[in-house]
Amino acid sequence: MATSAGSGVEVRSLEAKKGKGLYAKTHFKKEETILTEAPLVCAQFSWNELYKYEACEFCLRSLETAEEMSRRLTNNPSLVLPHPECCEVDSSVHTCCPHCQVKYCREACRVAAWDRYHRVLCMGASRDDSKHPLAMLQEAWRNIHYPPETASIMLLAKMVAMVRQNPDPSAVLQKFSQFVQTTVNENEQIAHKLLGKEFQTQLELLQGLAREALYHDDVQQWFTPEGFRSIFALIGTNGQGIGSSSISTWVKNCEKLSQGEKEKEEMDKFIDEMYEELDKEAGAFLNCDGSGLFELQSTCNHSCTPNAEINFLHGDHTLTLMALKDIEPDEEICISYLDECSLERSRHSRQNILRENYLFNCSCQLCLEQADEPDETSEEEMSEGDEEDEEEG
């Protein structure tokens, strides 16, 4: 069965996989945009917010200028970036909720947040009160989910608020019901890594705090023990990472400048040295990171040799799906659920990550071709290689 998803793609039910897949309806050339999509809901990671990465509460657009962000992340308050005109942050249009002072990049985002979920979640003058139920929920989440984060408990909070604020709660519930909510894959005997017995106490704590902060009759099924595990698995397995950075936008715009060869060399050197300092001080945490639930992206299946990739080219939560190679009509569009480093690891390592986080064993062409490889993680392979080197020495 196919479901129309736009002029170039369609969602099809896959009986063999008991799921869905995104398929091309037309030819896409390499590097061509397949689709762009805004999320149903998104939220900044709790640790990211705690570490003062200022982002729009609605669309995650960075609220710091590139210079402000680079000064903070390099711990160099005197750093001056050339070509400030390449920074797209316009603080003159920033605004905030008049009740709780949560920040937005523009009035349209503030209104959209208020209309969709923020009326329920607005903490008013209690925003800085650590004993507020929502504050306690986020603190508990941070205590069990240290960086690098892969999900946000505020996704659940916003989902509940969206149901409560909508005149037709069932319509919103229907939207969320399309996402995978399975806590275990019974066929493969796989359970999500955050739902194991070792996390039982923490899950019960989160469930109790979430119930106190968010409970409503329209979503009572989400607050039973099994319902909470299911919704927890939903945000864990379906949440797509989102990254926005005023620095990366500034760099991208600088690269477009019309410059002489010497100027370009000097600019490239400055950017390289700045990134070295950023890496030294901030490591991988360079973006206003968060996660979101995307209707079409969530139907893209994984492949260890994907034909498409996800980018965030607009400086906010807007997702762009781009072709990595030519894609023919009726060909399935697949992305990688793994980052670039993880894709380079052994088949056994890749399978372990996918089983723990996404509850399936990968059967892509690459994994089938490597099926006869030994069941060793990349670390075990490296360890054995080191031992052999020592013996040879």
Side-chain angles (χ1 to χ4, degrees):
M1 183 180 72
T3 302
S4 178
S7 58
V9 296
E10 67 179 9
V11 179
R12 298 180 184 174
S13 295
L14 305 176
E15 293 300 327
K17 296 182 181 180
K18 294 184 179 180
K20 299 177 182 177
L22 191 67
Y23 283 78
K25 292 169 59 179
T26 186
H27 176 81
F28 290 104
K29 294 181 180 179
K30 181 180 179 180
E31 298 184 354
E32 185 177 352
T33 295
I34 299 170
L35 61 86
T36 58
E37 181 181 16
L40 286 177
V41 60
C42 69
Q44 187 179 16
F45 291 145
S46 292
W47 280 102
N48 205 265
E49 182 180 0
L50 190 68
Y51 286 155
K52 306 301 182 184
Y53 287 76
E54 293 194 358
C56 175
E57 193 274 336
F58 180 75
C59 76
L60 303 190
R61 184 181 298 276
S62 176
L63 298 178
E64 293 177 289
T65 65
E67 188 167 272
E68 290 170 340
M69 194 176 199
S70 61
R71 285 178 173 180
R72 177 173 60 82
L73 293 178
T74 60
N75 197 25
N76 180 1
S78 62
L79 179 64
V80 176
L81 299 190
H83 300 290
E85 72 277 8
C86 289
C87 178
E88 296 182 1
V89 175
D90 182 2
S91 58
S92 68
V93 297
H94 292 175
T95 187
C96 61
C97 171
H99 310 289
C100 67
Q101 306 307 308
V102 163
K103 297 178 181 178
Y104 297 95
C105 67
R106 58 189 185 277
E107 180 65 8
C109 281
R110 186 196 68 79
V111 172
W114 184 258
D115 289 344
R116 295 189 193 184
Y117 57 79
H118 193 63
R119 285 203 307 274
V120 167
L121 299 181
C122 183
M123 296 166 64
S126 300
R127 187 184 173 208
D128 295 325
D129 182 2
S130 62
K131 298 301 182 182
H132 188 284
L134 275 176
M136 293 177 67
L137 178 63
Q138 291 187 75
E139 178 64 19
W141 171 259
R142 284 193 291 267
N143 287 337
I144 70 167
H145 203 319
Y146 292 97
E149 291 175 270
T150 55
S152 170
I153 197 66
M154 288 307 293
L155 274 181
L156 185 152
K158 288 185 177 182
M159 290 166 66
V160 172
M162 286 173 69
V163 175
R164 290 176 58 179
Q165 282 195 203
N166 197 285
D168 185 2
S170 62
V172 185
L173 287 169
Q174 179 61 34
K175 284 280 189 182
F176 290 132
S177 70
Q178 69 187 296
F179 295 98
V180 176
Q181 300 184 47
T182 307
T183 58
V184 296
N185 182 329
E186 294 179 356
N187 292 335
E188 304 288 353
Q189 295 184 322
I190 307 170
H192 194 278
K193 68 176 184 179
L194 290 179
L195 299 176
K197 292 181 179 178
E198 66 272 29
F199 293 106
Q200 186 62 37
T201 301
Q202 291 95 324
L203 278 172
E204 290 174 356
L205 173 64
L206 280 177
Q207 181 190 345
L209 291 171
R211 187 179 184 89
E212 181 182 353
L214 302 165
Y215 180 84
H216 193 268
D217 286 346
D218 286 334
V219 285
Q220 57 182 301
Q221 68 274 23
W222 289 355
F223 292 96
T224 65
E226 186 53 39
F228 188 76
R229 288 168 62 86
S230 293
I231 207 70
F232 196 83
L234 184 154
I235 63 175
T237 57
N238 294 276
Q240 165 63 46
I242 300 170
S244 67
S245 168
S246 54
I247 296 176
S248 61
T249 300
W250 172 81
V251 169
K252 178 182 67 177
N253 289 335
C254 284
E255 291 172 347
K256 297 177 183 177
L257 291 173
S258 178
Q259 294 179 311
E261 187 173 333
K262 183 178 180 181
E263 285 180 299
K264 189 177 186 310
E265 287 179 359
E266 291 176 349
M267 191 67 195
D268 289 345
K269 181 182 178 183
F270 177 89
I271 291 172
D272 288 343
E273 291 176 349
M274 181 185 69
Y275 270 118
E276 286 179 11
E277 288 301 310
L278 289 168
D279 184 63
K280 187 188 303 181
E281 291 290 331
F285 302 100
L286 300 181
N287 299 329
C288 301
D289 287 325
S291 64
L293 298 177
F294 295 82
E295 291 183 83
L296 292 179
Q297 174 274 334
S298 69
T299 66
C300 287
N301 286 310
H302 165 83
S303 171
C304 295
T305 54
N307 58 9
E309 70 174 359
I310 289 168
N311 291 292
F312 290 88
L313 307 176
H314 302 276
D316 61 7
H317 62 194
T318 305
L319 175 152
T320 301
L321 184 64
M322 300 184 69
L324 288 172
K325 56 188 76 171
D326 286 357
I327 300 174
E328 300 300 326
D330 290 322
E331 183 177 349
E332 185 175 8
I333 299 169
C334 293
I335 59 176
S336 171
Y337 295 176
L338 305 175
D339 60 33
E340 190 173 340
C341 291
S342 297
L343 275 179
E344 298 297 322
R345 300 178 71 179
S346 70
R347 173 184 177 274
H348 187 60
S349 292
R350 299 196 308 270
Q351 295 279 8
N352 282 344
I353 298 170
L354 292 168
R355 283 167 60 90
E356 290 179 351
N357 291 278
Y358 301 102
L359 307 182
F360 72 91
N361 285 315
C362 184
S363 58
C364 73
Q365 188 61 38
L366 179 63
C367 284
L368 293 176
E369 291 172 359
Q370 297 176 341
D372 293 332
E373 290 185 356
D375 287 343
E376 295 176 324
T377 65
S378 299
E379 289 81 1
E380 289 169 341
E381 292 169 354
M382 293 174 64
S383 177
E384 287 182 4
D386 293 341
E387 290 175 4
E388 289 174 2
D389 291 342
E390 288 177 6
E391 289 174 3
E392 291 174 2

